[in-house]
């Protein structure tokens, strides 16, 4: 099968090379049949939504809005039957949830989908068949056209994610919306919003107001490399109100992006303890919001009071985020304080547990039960495997792929996010010439080389790998511009692995398309890293 597919793809590429049009859609569609000529948008071109496709009206409106913003062409969206000199949106119930068909000819454009989401992805591909001006918000009176072709497309994975850490550094709502916009251009569908950290709590919880009035503020931040131990002596803070969160969730929904909130526990909780020390193992300790990067020893103590507190927080969080998954962190929870705590040691004995790892598993298991009882699914970093994986947990594998493999073998769903391929806080080029980053060595080519089908897993176990995600941790990423720089172009590699068919993948061909994508990224004003795109 693979070799037939390889031959077909090579033939497609040869045909593409011979055709008048060239195509450089990212992520690469599953099937693209080249054609000659262009469709030209005119002032009397219609955007037609057929009766069965009424649910796609908001997507059709996005097309007319974007044509208006970039070319000043005002096309009205109307209901009716398909016609020529039109972009026709039709319903096709034979297609999968996120699939679409897009046919561009000289006379018309036909978009078929089963859901608004599929229609939305057709639109994203259509934009990439047009000059980069379609992504600009400075109107031009150039001709708006789209290269003719026929596309049949559907994603390889249902979960195509990017994580942004708003804990170490805070990113304003306007940037979160822009990040969502940029994800949508490349058909990513899950935004993992890391909202709580040792260095700052970033989400308003009405029941516990100190989390925002105190725990969101640290007294100073590190400057330069960790080893320099230099601080800026300047208070730093920021948080999202519940109203802002609702606004962002609704915004993302329009772009068919689900948001997964992450509320860390029992580790990475020092900021929380700064306001509510009774939840720590040393209630008398004067905890402060952390100012140094790294893993804090100050963790939550598994008392009943702590569970009640965290469940109250999760109740507010679940009301804000309508998606299925709630991320509870679970990573990097040092056991030092649990080892020294009379309460923890007694609890281990009382519950018949072997050690502190099983105590962590008990903690996560209780939270899993609570989240599951509310009709949601719990997601945690791969440390939640230690001491036993709780029954409904989904695992995000970050310390390589081994945690994900172990979880898939236990028939748990997994998102692969191995640090060596998808930690976008790592250097993407020469550390001597790049802006300061946390470390690592992760060029675009390394990102693109990740293959989520792993030889350790059977076909049935492989089905538990529901997708992939890249993570932008922000110890050294203080500004939106730098966050974009670290995200792009590497997010394009992620998007392509997540969306496009498995094989064969050709890095130089991919880079060729990324280079062509520079025009679009420039029109979108993305501050991408240019090093590998020269
Ligand atoms: C992690 O990087 N601690 C998930």
């Amino acid at each position: 099968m693979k070799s037939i597919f390889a031959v077909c793809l090579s033939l497609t590429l040869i045909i593409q090379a011979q055709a008048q049009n060239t195509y450089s859609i990212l992520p690469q569609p599953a099937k693209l049949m080249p054609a000659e000529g262009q469709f030209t948008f005119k002032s009397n071109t219609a955007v037609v939504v057929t009766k069965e496709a009424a649910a796609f009206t908001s997507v059709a409106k996005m097309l007319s809005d974007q044509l208006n913003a970039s070319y000043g062409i005002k096309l009205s969206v109307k209901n009716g039957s398909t016609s020529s000199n039109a972009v026709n949106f039709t319903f096709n119930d034979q297609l999968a949830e996120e699939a679409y068909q897009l046919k561009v000819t000289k006379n018309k454009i036909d978009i078929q989908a089963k859901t608004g989401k599929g229609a939305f992805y057709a639109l994203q591909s259509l934009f990439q068949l047009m000059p980069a001006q379609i992504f600009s918000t400075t109107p031009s009176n150039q001709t708006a056209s789209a290269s003719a072709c026929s596309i049949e497309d559907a994603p390889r994975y249902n979960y195509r994610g990017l994580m942004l850490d708003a804990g170490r550094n805070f990113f304003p709502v306007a940037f979160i919306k822009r990040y969502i916009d940029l994800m949508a251009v490349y058909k990513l569908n899950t935004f993992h919003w890391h909202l709580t950290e040792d260095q700052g709590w970033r989400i308003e919880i009405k029941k516990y107001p100190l989390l925002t009035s105190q725990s969101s503020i640290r007294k100073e931040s590190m400057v330069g490399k960790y080893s320099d131990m230099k601080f800026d002596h300047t208070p730093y803070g920021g948080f999202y109100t519940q109203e802002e969160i609702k606004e962002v969730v609704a915004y993302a929904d329009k772009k068919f992006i689900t948001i997964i909130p992450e509320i860390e526990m029992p580790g990475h909780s020092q900021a929380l303890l700064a306001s509510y020390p009774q939840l720590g193992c040393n209630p008398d300790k004067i905890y402060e919001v952390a100012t140094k990067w790294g893993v804090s020893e100050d963790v939550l103590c598994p008392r009943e009071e702590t569970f009640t507190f965290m469940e109250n927080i999760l109740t507010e969080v679940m009301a804000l985020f309508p998606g299925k998954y709630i991320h509870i962190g679970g990573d990097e929870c040092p056991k030092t304080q649990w080892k020294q705590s009379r309460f923890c040691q007694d609890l281990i004995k009382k519950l018949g547990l072997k050690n502190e790892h099983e105590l962590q598993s008990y903690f996560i298991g209780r939270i899993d039960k609570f989240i599951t009882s509310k009709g949601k699914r719990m997601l945690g970093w791969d440390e939640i495997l230690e001491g036993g994986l709780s029954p409904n947990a989904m695992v995000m594998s970050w310390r390589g792929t081994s945690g994900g493999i172990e979880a898939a073998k236990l028939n748990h769903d997994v998102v692969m996010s191995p640090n060596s391929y998808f930690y976008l806080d790592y250097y993407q080029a020469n550390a001597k010439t790049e802006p300061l980053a946390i470390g690592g060595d992760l060029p675009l080519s390394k990102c693109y080389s990740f293959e989520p089908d792993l030889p350790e897993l059977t076909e049935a176990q492989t089905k538990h790998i529901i997708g992939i995600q890249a993570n932008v941790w922000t110890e050294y990423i203080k500004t939106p511009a730098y966050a974009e720089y670290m995200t792009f172009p590497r997010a394009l590699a992620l998007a392509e692995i997540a969306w496009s068919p498995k094989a064969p993948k050709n890095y130089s061909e991919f880079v060729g398309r990324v280079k062509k994508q520079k025009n679009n990224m420039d029109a979108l004003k993305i501050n991408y890293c240019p090093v590998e795109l020269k």
Side-chain angles (χ1 to χ4, degrees):
M1 275 306 286
K2 263 188 213 161
S3 57
I4 293 172
F5 187 78
V7 171
C8 289
L9 194 90
S10 326
L11 281 176
T12 309
L13 294 176
I14 291 162
I15 294 165
Q16 266 181 238
Q18 287 169 351
Q20 173 199 342
N21 286 321
T22 57
Y23 308 90
S24 55
I25 296 177
L26 270 165
Q28 174 100 301
K31 208 166 158 195
L32 185 151
M33 280 75 70
E36 286 187 17
Q38 307 266 317
F39 176 85
T40 301
F41 291 89
K42 304 175 200 77
S43 58
N44 65 350
T45 299
V47 179
V48 175
V49 180
T50 61
K51 195 163 152 229
E52 298 73 24
F56 311 164
T57 304
S58 62
V59 176
K61 222 181 148 306
M62 283 181 206
L63 169 63
S64 77
D65 287 349
Q66 197 145 334
L67 277 165
N68 188 18
S70 55
Y71 284 97
I73 303 176
K74 291 193 174 63
L75 303 185
S76 57
V77 177
K78 51 188 193 192
N79 297 107
S81 40
T82 61
S83 67
S84 57
N85 187 24
V87 182
N88 300 301
F89 285 86
T90 57
F91 176 72
N92 181 344
D93 75 346
Q94 299 302 303
L95 296 177
E97 285 300 297
E98 296 190 295
Y100 69 90
Q101 292 182 0
L102 167 65
K103 186 165 185 187
V104 179
T105 67
K106 283 178 204 159
N107 298 326
K108 60 178 178 150
I109 296 176
D110 286 321
I111 288 173
Q112 292 187 25
K114 183 178 167 184
T115 64
K117 202 171 186 183
F120 180 77
Y121 293 141
L123 202 57
Q124 303 317 308
S125 291
L126 175 61
F127 291 151
Q128 291 193 39
L129 294 170
M130 298 180 66
Q133 175 61 27
I134 188 67
F135 291 110
S136 169
T137 47
T138 312
S140 145
N141 52 12
Q142 297 161 25
T143 305
S145 59
S147 297
C149 65
S150 196
I151 295 175
E152 291 172 16
D153 202 8
R156 180 178 176 194
Y157 289 105
N158 292 335
Y159 186 113
R160 305 180 298 279
L162 259 185
M163 185 220 72
L164 183 66
D165 166 14
R168 272 52 174 259
N169 274 298
F170 177 76
F171 294 87
V173 166
F175 180 66
I176 302 295
K177 287 183 176 172
R178 173 168 164 79
Y179 211 65
I180 285 164
D181 287 343
L182 299 179
M183 287 176 68
V185 169
Y186 298 105
K187 303 187 179 81
L188 296 171
N189 67 357
T190 307
F191 175 57
H192 170 176
W193 203 356
H194 186 79
L195 287 165
T196 72
E197 254 313 329
D198 295 316
Q199 294 84 7
W201 184 278
R202 307 280 174 231
I203 172 172
E204 178 189 26
I205 300 295
K206 305 258 190 213
K207 199 172 178 81
Y208 303 117
L210 297 182
L211 288 173
T212 38
S213 65
Q214 286 183 185
S215 296
S216 72
I217 301 163
R218 59 177 177 257
K219 70 170 190 250
E220 58 188 357
S221 306
M222 295 195 97
V223 182
K225 289 198 291 268
Y226 183 90
S227 55
D228 294 344
M229 280 293 145
K230 285 211 179 104
F231 296 85
D232 63 5
H233 313 299
T234 308
Y236 181 92
F239 66 89
Y240 306 103
T241 65
Q242 293 203 354
E243 282 313 304
E244 286 172 326
I245 293 208
K246 283 184 207 160
E247 183 187 322
V248 171
V249 167
Y251 187 85
D253 187 54
K254 288 205 183 88
K255 304 261 167 163
F256 300 94
I257 287 181
T258 301
I259 303 187
I260 299 182
E262 182 181 356
I263 307 296
E264 281 267 19
M265 63 189 89
H268 288 286
S269 296
Q270 191 179 323
L272 182 159
L273 290 170
S275 299
Y276 299 94
Q278 66 272 29
L279 307 184
C281 289
N282 303 319
D284 274 344
K285 180 169 174 173
I286 299 172
Y287 294 98
E288 286 189 332
V289 180
T291 54
K292 285 185 203 159
W293 312 133
V295 176
S296 170
E297 298 278 336
D298 292 329
V299 303
L300 300 179
C301 190
R303 296 177 208 277
E304 284 310 307
E305 187 184 357
T306 306
F307 288 114
T308 305
F309 192 97
M310 297 316 287
E311 288 174 6
N312 288 337
I313 288 177
L314 289 172
T315 298
E316 292 194 31
V317 169
M318 286 188 282
L320 291 169
F321 294 92
K324 182 160 71 169
Y325 298 109
I326 302 292
H327 202 308
I328 53 78
D331 58 318
E332 297 179 322
C333 177
K335 306 295 185 294
T336 325
Q337 294 182 351
W338 288 2
K339 282 191 177 127
Q340 293 163 351
S341 152
R342 169 58 49 215
F343 172 82
C344 291
Q345 293 306 312
D346 285 351
L347 188 59
I348 285 173
K349 271 203 205 101
K350 189 174 134 203
L351 296 170
L353 305 176
K354 279 208 212 60
N355 52 32
E356 293 74 22
H357 290 296
E358 290 198 358
L359 187 57
Q360 154 131 344
S361 176
Y362 164 77
F363 190 114
I364 301 292
R366 293 259 319 238
I367 297 296
D368 180 9
K369 217 182 234 167
F370 178 73
I371 290 175
T372 302
S373 76
K374 304 294 173 198
K376 302 269 191 184
R377 289 284 305 278
M378 188 191 79
L379 169 58
W381 299 108
D382 57 56
E383 284 92 333
I384 65 171
L385 281 149
E386 293 163 8
L389 188 55
S390 77
N392 306 301
M394 180 158 96
V395 171
M396 193 166 264
S397 190
W398 73 278
R399 295 174 301 175
T401 53
S402 56
I405 290 168
E406 191 183 334
K409 285 185 175 171
L410 294 166
N411 296 322
H412 284 246
D413 284 349
V414 169
V415 174
M416 283 293 184
S417 189
N419 50 358
S420 46
Y421 295 90
F422 291 144
Y423 266 36
L424 304 190
D425 53 335
Y426 291 3
Y427 282 108
Q428 55 197 315
N430 189 345
K432 292 201 177 88
T433 48
E434 285 296 290
L436 183 65
I438 200 162
D441 177 22
L442 183 45
L444 182 63
S445 53
K446 180 80 195 278
C447 271
Y448 195 66
S449 71
F450 184 67
E451 171 45 56
D453 274 1
L454 297 163
E456 292 89 339
L457 297 177
T458 64
E459 210 177 311
Q461 290 162 347
T462 295
K463 290 205 169 73
H464 286 295
I465 312 298
I466 66 159
I468 57 174
Q469 177 172 292
N471 300 324
V472 180
W473 299 104
T474 61
E475 286 91 337
Y476 294 87
I477 301 178
K478 294 189 192 311
T479 64
Y482 191 26
E484 281 186 19
Y485 182 88
M486 296 304 263
T487 305
F488 291 95
R490 291 182 291 186
L492 304 185
L494 171 92
E496 183 140 311
I497 302 163
W499 181 281
S500 305
K502 178 177 173 181
K505 289 212 162 48
N506 176 331
Y507 180 67
S508 59
E509 188 272 335
F510 167 73
V511 167
R513 278 181 294 115
V514 178
K515 284 180 185 167
K516 288 189 184 154
Q517 198 63 222
K518 280 203 303 190
N519 289 339
N520 291 342
M521 292 196 285
D522 288 336
L524 288 159
K525 300 192 168 73
I526 299 178
N527 183 39
Y528 56 87
C529 171
V531 172
E532 292 198 52
L533 304 183
K534 294 203 168 115

